[in-house]
Amino acid sequence: MAEQDEPIAAPGRGEEPTAAELAAMERAAALAWDSAGRTSPNPPVGAVILDVDGHRVGEGATQPAGLEHAEVMALRQAGRAALGGTAVVTLEPCNHQGRTGPCSEALIEAGVARVVFAVPDPNPRAAGGAQRLSEAGVSVLGSVGQAEVARAAIGPWLFAVSQSRPFVTWKFAGTLDGRSSAPDGTSKWITNAVSRADVHALRDRVDAIVVGSGTVLVDDPQLTVRGVRGAADGELVARQPLRVVLDRRHRVPADAQIFDDAAETIRLDTAVPRFALKALYDRGVRHVLLEGGATLAGAFLEARLIDEVVGYLAPTLLGAGSAVLRGAGITTMSEAVTLDVSEVARMGDDVKIVGRPRWASGQEE
Ligand code: AOF
Ligand code: ZN
């Protein structure tokens, strides 16, 4: 997918994207990013409408499942100004009557003269929008900025639908020497406030947070999103991800914080990562954040079910205590899992590192 960076034009209608269209695509990608975590099982998509003169007259993002697609939101805002204009969308407009009407028809009806999109729709039920539009005389340009867009908001969704399981991000916080707690079990506040706020922003973009029963019994975490998206410090954000505890033996008591009414929570009666992911996919989950503990993360890694790693490291040394990762089945250096690193960021004095296990990097391509 990343190789196809060359824009593909519909037959006979090839034109380079204009500067205004490229800028609109960047804006559409930002709108999509903003809707991440709020659209599943639908993809987070962004759309911008330019009028005949290339001015932005409408924008929108995918609404929660069953509600409007991005194009419809943007067209609504543009009104009559869409006539003769251009729609710039991060995903190929759909061509099907699903829970909402086909976006291809909505664009044709609004009199849009040109459609520029980034990623072709891999869903066979919805695909065909580009063809329908060009048959109706609309100039269509696809794969504009595809690689960038696919790497951002819609990436986990694309991966999930191609693999029929959610994309898994494993997040951990540890000391510089890779410990998540001291020998006496204390573990509070290893990383600083900047890192912790960043974790909330990460939770805000996923559909579900998964933990093992051991983590709940030891830490009693709440696993909610607080203090981001304009919510005051410590205050709950309106949309909360599903909380999931893998608890085959029903060890987690009903008064654990994850069962409070701040968000929905489910208990899965399995310790097998693959079954857990299948159950979550069937519920519409497309992006999972795995938050612990070390043994569960090891099981996911051994099964090659970790697609992205987000690690927060504090400049602290413990020399003893639990490791952030355990039991991944690795015995020798040649079996070590290497990450292709996409981000290294300073979080105050902590360091955040983001990467994809090498085996996963090419999977969706
Ligand atoms: C678009 N624009 O903003 C999104 C699209 O069940 P439905 O009717 O909501 O359709 C869901 C499918 O539509 C989804 O699987 C994907 O292929 C496409 N999503 N398409 O034109 C959008 N979110
Ligand atoms: Zn649509």
Side-chain angles (χ1 to χ4, degrees), residues 20 35 84 124 206 242 264 349 351:
S35 69
V206 302
L242 176 70
E264 193 188 343
D349 281 346
V351 173

Side-chain angles (χ1 to χ4, degrees), residues 42-43 45 62 66-67 69-71 91-94 96 98-100 103 121 123 125-126 157:
N42 274 356
V45 176
T62 310
L67 300 176
H69 287 182
E71 297 89 321
L91 180 69
E92 176 186 8
C94 71
H96 76 306
R99 280 164 297 189
T100 70
C103 289
D121 195 327
N123 174 0
R125 266 193 326 108
W157 182 87

Side-chain angles (χ1 to χ4, degrees), residues 11-145:
R13 299 200 168 264
E15 272 169 61
E16 291 287 296
T18 65
E21 288 166 357
L22 291 175
M25 185 62 85
E26 249 179 63
R27 175 66 189 146
L31 291 162
W33 185 251
D34 241 17
S35 69
R38 284 148 180 81
T39 62
S40 288
N42 274 356
V45 176
V48 169
I49 308 291
L50 304 174
D51 69 9
V52 203
D53 302 318
H55 296 128
R56 278 182 220 176
V57 287
E59 54 179 45
T62 310
Q63 300 301 296
L67 300 176
E68 292 88 346
H69 287 182
E71 297 89 321
V72 172
M73 298 301 291
L75 284 172
R76 195 173 288 167
Q77 204 179 77
R80 297 175 59 88
L83 194 68
T86 300
V88 178
V89 198
T90 57
L91 180 69
E92 176 186 8
C94 71
N95 194 38
H96 76 306
Q97 179 65 51
R99 280 164 297 189
T100 70
C103 289
S104 52
E105 300 305 331
L107 291 161
I108 293 164
E109 235 164 78
V112 163
R114 179 166 156 92
V115 171
V116 175
F117 67 89
V119 179
D121 195 327
N123 174 0
R125 266 193 326 108
Q131 195 182 335
R132 169 75 188 106
L133 285 159
S134 65
E135 279 165 10
V138 176
S139 152
V140 178
L141 192 60
S143 299
V144 171

